[in-house]
């Protein structure tokens, strides 16, 4: 009995009594431990409940209260997450992805670890979900091998990179870039695959699948993903779907930027970082700070630029606000002067700041708003117009001829003066103020189309998506100007070359010329799918406008001969009178020569952009002074005989040396402003001896021929801690075909470079070399003498035969070009 009473005294309360928090009594229990039956307490017996012992529960671990304990807990949770989410290497793969694909396309897990390891000592990032191997769904058959990838990366760097300065590609070989920066690698290769639109579209689809699985399914986020997404948006027209996803992609880029912590500065006592725990998450403080790198600053400003441009053109979403953090990033990027393209980036962002001021002052989304109208509204417009003028005046000399920036300036002016098409903001103002604004809009559109239609034919193939959006916006505004009905607005007074149908025909002709250029260089009989789609849409636009306005134009089908016949038929008497004044009413060859010369003066400068002269009589009578030729001939006393087209673009002429008898055709660009900035070892000796070789950016020998659209650009590299450029030297008798880009260190004498070629940075081409059309010479490649090279990348495919040296002589070709050309003998 004593043992039984002790057992009852030490027994804990049963489970029902413990829950009810009442005393558990055992005085009337009918069972005992010796009877083999479970004991029942008095309360459970009375209430007929299931009496049973309590089940022990696990006690929660104590929450660390100190700062060191919290950090230790976060580190433990991070390692636990990494260990559980990393897949075993011997696990069999299931799904679409083959095993060979997974071996050649490594998972970004290693990239993520390498990227975070060097930052963990400075700032502890929150744990991120890592991408699994199945989530990539890559298709290695679409992506080129390393040799071809190096060529495509070189094409992007030389031809496309300067059009989007917000992502600077790293100078890495394809093998390393593919493994460490997979998304940036895919985006660059996709953008550079414009020679085959079908392959480009399939690669963009594979990129989209990989990006979607990584971001939305796996929650993977990295700076590499952000840069790849920005490039994907920058050339979005290359893979645009039937249902546009531009808005979604822009929001994804902004979301990745925010998750990476680039949108706001990280400072002491920042409460944005979370302290992660297995069962809960709370806000905490951080005493660490972090400074953005230049690449991160470019990506931040790239998100702002793309969102602002999309908001200006399409007006579907509001742009990112330009914060003090962005202002500091922009100024620090300019001060560092790490890249030459950062100057262009700086002015593009500054221009978008003015555009956002226009958005804030002009209620395009609510044109009937009462707070912006009357005299105060006119003052806002005048102030913003003055800001645009001051911005354009303050541009550096090297950027005043930049087509990309100038078209952005014209688009900002169109966006400002487009408000003249709305009635509500002009209530309480005089009629002439609105008419002046409308005419300024017409002039801004004319300036935009003039720049667009004078670009080289090859540039339309690689043009970024922002320019296509600006072109659509300018065409839409031009059609509205021709349809608007305002008191005092007389559309008949607008020049023919500024009317919508004339402008649209000129744009379609330029796109058709670009289509022919692509066919002649790499497409053959096929058509460029993007240009064909755009031309078709513009054709629908022209048909709709003609049906609704009754206006028709035949300028799209007018040839030079038809224009000449029209001039002779309509103004033949004035031509004959003026010819008589020139020749004294003589006949024969003198009169025929004078007639032909006067006909050329009466013809428009560009038959694709302008119609017949509105006052031919005045034009004929003012043609006594001989017109300037298309070429500047450096005749005696210089006696060099260089023939430079007036439409050629020579930047930094003080750093360009022409050896003599050189022909530079229209649309040629020579970047003499890219001169060496780092001091060389022999600079002191050359300066003391009076030499100026160290200031030479481009040196061209005798009897060189640069065809239309050629770009000569000195190569650049890091030298003694700073980015500098090295001279580009061409020998004698060098022919460069139409649309080629040359960034070589030196090109020897008697060299022929075909159409559409790309010569990479610091390449060396020896004497008597023939580069066939469309070849891509890789950077730092050396082409031996007497070789014939072709392919992408270029390889030696033959040798110059004996007796074939004469075809490199350009003396006879030199005589066929200029103000007084001579036929070939």
């Amino acid at each position: 009995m004593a043992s039984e009473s002790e057992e009852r005294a030490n027994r804990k309360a049963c489970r029902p009594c413990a829950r009810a928090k009442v005393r558990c009594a055992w005085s009337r229990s009918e069972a005992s431990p010796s009877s083999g039956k479970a004991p029942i307490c008095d309360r459970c017996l009375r209430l007929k409940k299931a009496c049973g012992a309590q089940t022990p529960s696990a006690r929660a671990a104590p929450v660390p209260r100190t700062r060191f304990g919290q950090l230790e807990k976060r580190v433990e949770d991070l390692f636990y997450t990494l260990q559980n989410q990393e897949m075993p290497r011997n696990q069999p793969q299931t799904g679409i992805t083959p095993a060979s694909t997974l071996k050649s396309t490594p998972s970004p897990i290693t990239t993520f670890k390498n990227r975070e390891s060097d930052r963990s000592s400075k700032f502890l990032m929150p744990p991120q979900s890592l991408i699994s191997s199945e989530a990539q769904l890559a298709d290695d058959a679409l992506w080129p091998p390393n040799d071809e990838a190096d060529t495509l990366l070189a094409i992007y760097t030389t031809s496309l990179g300067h059009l989007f300065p917000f992502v600077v590609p790293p100078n890495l070989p394809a093998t390393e870039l593919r493994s460490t920066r997979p998304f940036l690698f895919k985006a660059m290769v996709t953008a550079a695959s414009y020679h085959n639109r079908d392959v480009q579209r399939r690669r963009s689809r594979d990129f989209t699948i990989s990006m979607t699985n990584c971001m939305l399914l796996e929650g993977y986020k990295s700076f590499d993903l952000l840069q790849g997404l920005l490039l994907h948006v920058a050339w979005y027209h290359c893979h645009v779907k039937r249902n546009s996803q531009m808005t979604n992609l822009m929001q994804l880029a902004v979301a990745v930027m925010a998750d990476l912590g680039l949108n706001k500065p990280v400072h002491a006592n920042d409460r944005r970082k979370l302290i992660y725990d297995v069962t809960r998450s709370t806000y905490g403080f951080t005493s660490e700070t972090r400074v953005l790198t230049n690449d991160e600053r470019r990506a931040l400003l790239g998100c702002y630029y793309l969102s602002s441009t999309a908001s200006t053109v399409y007006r579907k979403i509001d742009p990112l606000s330009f914060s003090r953090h962005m202002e500091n990033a922009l100024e620090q990027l300019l001060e560092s002067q790490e890249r030459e393209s950062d100057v262009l980036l700086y002015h593009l962002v500054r221009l978008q700041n003015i555009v956002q001021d226009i958005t804030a002052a002009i209620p395009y989304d609510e044109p009937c708003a009462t707070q912006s109208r009357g005299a105060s509204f006119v003052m806002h417009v005048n102030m913003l117009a003055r800001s645009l003028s001051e911005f354009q005046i303050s541009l550096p000399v090297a950027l005043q001829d930049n087509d990309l920036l100038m078209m952005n300036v014209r688009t900002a002016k169109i966006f400002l003066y487009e408000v003249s098409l709305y009635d509500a903001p002009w209530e309480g103002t005089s009629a002439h103020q609105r008419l002046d604004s409308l005419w300024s809009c017409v002039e801004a559109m004319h300036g935009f189309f003039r720049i667009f239609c004078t670009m080289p034919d090859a540039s339309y193939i690689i043009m970024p998506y922002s320019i296509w959006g600006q072109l659509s916006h300018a065409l839409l505004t031009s059609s509205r100007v021709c349809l608007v009905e305002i008191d005092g607005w007389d559309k008949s007074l607008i020049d023919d070359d500024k009317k919508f149908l004339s402008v649209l025909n000129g744009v379609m002709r330029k796109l058709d010329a670009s289509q022919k250029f692509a066919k002649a260089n790499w497409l053959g009989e096929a058509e460029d799918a993007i240009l064909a789609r755009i031309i078709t849409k513009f054709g629908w636009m022209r048909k709709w406008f003609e049906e609704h306005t009754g206006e028709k134009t035949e300028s799209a089908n007018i040839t030079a001969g038809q224009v000449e016949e029209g001039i002779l038929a309509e103004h033949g008497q004035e031509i004959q009178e003026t010819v008589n004044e020139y020749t004294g009413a003589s006949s024969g060859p003198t009169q025929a020569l004078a007639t032909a010369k006067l006909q050329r003066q009466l013809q428009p400068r560009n038959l694709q952009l302008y119609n017949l002269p509105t006052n031919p009589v005045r034009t004929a009578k003012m043609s006594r002074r001989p017109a300037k030729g298309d070429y500047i001939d450096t005749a005696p006393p210089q006696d060099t005989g260089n023939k430079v087209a007036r439409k050629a673009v020579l930047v930094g002429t003080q750093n360009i040396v022409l050896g003599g008898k050189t022909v530079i055709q229209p649309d040629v660009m020579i970047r003499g402003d890219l001169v060496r900035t780092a001091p060389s070892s022999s600079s002191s000796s050359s300066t003391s001896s009076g030499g100026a070789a160290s200031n030479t950016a481009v040196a061209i020998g005798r009897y060189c021929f640069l065809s239309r659209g050629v770009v000569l650009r000195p190569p650049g590299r890091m030298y003694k801690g700073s980015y500098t450029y090295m001279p580009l030297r061409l020998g004698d008798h060098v022919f460069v075909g139409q649309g080629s880009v040359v960034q070589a260190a030196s090109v020897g004498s008697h060299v022929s470079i075909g159409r559409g070629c790309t010569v990479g940075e610091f390449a060396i081409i020896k004497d008597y070399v023939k580069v066939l059309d469309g070849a891509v010479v890789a950077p730092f490649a050396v082409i031996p003498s007497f070789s014939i090279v072709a392919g992408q990348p270029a390889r030696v495919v033959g040798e110059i035969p004996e007796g074939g040296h004469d075809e490199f002589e350009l003396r006879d070709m030199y005589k066929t070009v200029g103000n007084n050309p001579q036929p070939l003998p």
Side-chain angles (χ1 to χ4, degrees), residues 298-326:
R298 296 186 187 98
L300 170 65
L301 298 172
C303 290
Y304 168 77
Y305 172 78
L306 289 177
S307 66
S308 178
T309 304
S311 175
T312 304
V313 176
Y314 304 108
R315 301 177 189 169
K316 290 184 178 180
I317 57 175
D318 294 332
L320 292 175
S321 59
F322 193 76
S323 60
R324 173 66 66 178
H325 179 54
M326 294 183 182

Side-chain angles (χ1 to χ4, degrees), residues 102 106 235 277 288-289 307 348 358 394 447 507 534 650 737 755 758:
L102 297 177
W235 276 273
D277 192 81
E288 303 293 337
T289 60
S307 66
L348 285 174
I358 297 174
S394 63
V507 170
I534 295 175
L650 276 66
R755 295 164 56 97
T758 301

Side-chain angles (χ1 to χ4, degrees), residues 178-197:
R178 189 197 300 263
S179 60
T180 60
R181 311 286 293 277
F183 289 103
L184 181 60
F185 169 79
K186 288 186 176 182
M188 293 173 60
V189 169
T190 301
S193 302
Y194 56 85
H195 295 90
N196 192 330
R197 294 296 188 187

